[in-house]
């Protein structure tokens, strides 16, 4: 028999009430806007997959397992269902997205238990764990050197392109798109850090342009920009000044609003569509963060410097951002530091 205090609310009703709570916590500063956006998006997805008209307390662990697996197998909506190049693996949810979705659903059910919407938290009875779902993740996230150079070269060409006279000046996005790809691939910010960037977060010190990145937990880091990226940034800022926009946000839609996290993937895909098909592979914003870390570490860049650029407190975290590169071990052994140059043969004469 059900206890009297359990409220028979539907999934859709519970999600609406949960989102009201998330918004209230965001307004008081208890939750960051980025976290609130993720929770809101994920519980809406959960309601669609579970069935909004069902009673929340009727869902079993088996029902939640079904939702988790359906989420894992559904196309990634941020990418239009299929990345450039038609890679079927990339069209599914990554292992990281699946783990994030599970965390969001767990938080939702914890709140539902406290609120009296469910008798027992069904997450305790689920059997699908991130370890089992990890096989659906693409084998590698980082682009190869050729793929990364193709993407960056295309972005640089886009930044230097002659403006299309058929479009209004305030609707042109070439410089902005180029800047987004260059910042993601060379500095490796989280997508939330990129979209939160404001104009006054960039400054010049001793002739070097820096980006003060506001990361997780209120932590900040000052990262110097490569010269080519700084050049594109300056061109973009000059274009921005020509428009009368009453916002301090760095990245804007052509309507003049701050760019949303979900818009960044569309920008990457638009630039990727211009890359030579031989060097094109679909990639997410987080995949570009992996690409930056992988290639800096492969070039023997100081690990602590890479850690500071990425904004991590612990060196051990770098292992998650390090992918193997083709031919890397062979190149390392050819340049073995203990062997040096081969000794010259003595002159027989």
């Amino acid at each position: 028999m059900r206890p009297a205090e359990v409220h028979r609310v539907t999934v859709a009703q519970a999600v609406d009430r949960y989102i009201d709570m998330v918004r209230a916590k965001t307004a008081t500063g208890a939750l960051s806007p980025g976290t609130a956006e993720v929770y809101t998006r994920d519980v809406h997805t959960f309601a669609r997959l579970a069935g909004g008209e069902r009673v929340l307390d009727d869902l079993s662990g088996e029902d939640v397992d079904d939702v988790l697996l359906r989420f894992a197998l559904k196309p990634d909506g941020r990418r239009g269902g299929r990345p450039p190049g038609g890679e079927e693996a990339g069209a599914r949810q990554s292992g990281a997205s699946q783990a994030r979705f599970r965390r969001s659903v767990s938080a939702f059910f914890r709140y539902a238990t406290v609120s009296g919407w469910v008798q027992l938290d069904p997450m305790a009875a689920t059997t699908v764990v991130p370890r089992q779902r990890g096989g659906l993740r693409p084998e590698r996230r980082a682009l190869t050197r050729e793929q990364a150079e193709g993407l960056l070269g295309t972005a640089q060409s886009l930044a230097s392109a002659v403006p299309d006279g058929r479009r209004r000046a305030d609707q042109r996005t070439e410089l902005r798109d180029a800047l987004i790809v260059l910042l993601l691939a060379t500095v490796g910010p989280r997508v939330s850090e990129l979209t939160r960037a404001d104009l006054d977060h960039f400054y010049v010190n001793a002739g070097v342009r820096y980006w003060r990145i506001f990361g997780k937990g209120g932590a900040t880091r000052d990262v110097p920009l490569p010269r080519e990226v700084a050049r594109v940034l300056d061109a973009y800022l000059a274009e921005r000044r020509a428009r009368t926009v009453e916002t301090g946000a760095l990245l804007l839609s052509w309507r003049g609003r701050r760019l949303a996290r979900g818009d960044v993937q569309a920008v990457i895909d638009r630039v990727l569509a211009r890359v030579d098909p031989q060097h094109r592979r679909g990639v997410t914003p987080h995949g570009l963060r992996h690409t930056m870390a992988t290639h800096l570490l492969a070039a023997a860049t100081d690990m602590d410097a890479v850690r500071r650029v990425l904004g991590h407190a612990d060196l051990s975290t770098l292992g998650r951002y390090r992918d193997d590169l083709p031919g890397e071990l062979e190149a390392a052994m050819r340049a073995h530091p203990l062997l040096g140059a081969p000794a010259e043969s003595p002159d027989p004469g």
Side-chain angles (χ1 to χ4, degrees), residues 88-112:
E88 210 49 55
R92 303 302 187 184
Q93 298 292 333
S94 70
S97 292
Q98 295 166 43
R100 184 214 69 231
F101 181 70
R102 184 188 178 89
R103 288 193 298 271
S104 296
V105 173
S106 294
F108 167 66
F109 273 112
R110 282 197 300 272
Y111 185 76

Side-chain angles (χ1 to χ4, degrees), residues 173-185:
T173 61
E174 291 88 351
L175 264 176
R176 185 207 65 186
D177 292 358
L179 179 63
I180 287 172
V181 169
L182 289 169
L183 286 173
L184 286 170

Side-chain angles (χ1 to χ4, degrees), residues 267-278:
V267 169
I268 296 172
D269 289 345
R270 193 156 52 240
V271 178
L272 272 172
R274 298 170 176 256
V275 177
D276 181 343
Q278 290 185 334

Side-chain angles (χ1 to χ4, degrees), residues 1-6 8 55 57-58 119:
M1 184 174 178
R2 296 180 189 280
E5 66 269 23
V6 170
R8 299 277 291 171
V55 174
D57 191 45
D58 288 344
Q119 185 174 205

Side-chain angles (χ1 to χ4, degrees), residues 59-65 102 120-128:
L59 297 184
S60 64
E62 193 172 293
D63 293 322
V64 177
D65 273 344
R102 184 188 178 89
L120 294 172
D121 185 346
M123 296 303 294
T126 58
T127 58
V128 176

Side-chain angles (χ1 to χ4, degrees), residues 10 37 72 84 112 200 259 262 278 280 306:
T10 66
E37 181 185 347
D200 59 5
L259 206 67
Q278 290 185 334
R280 181 194 304 161
V306 179

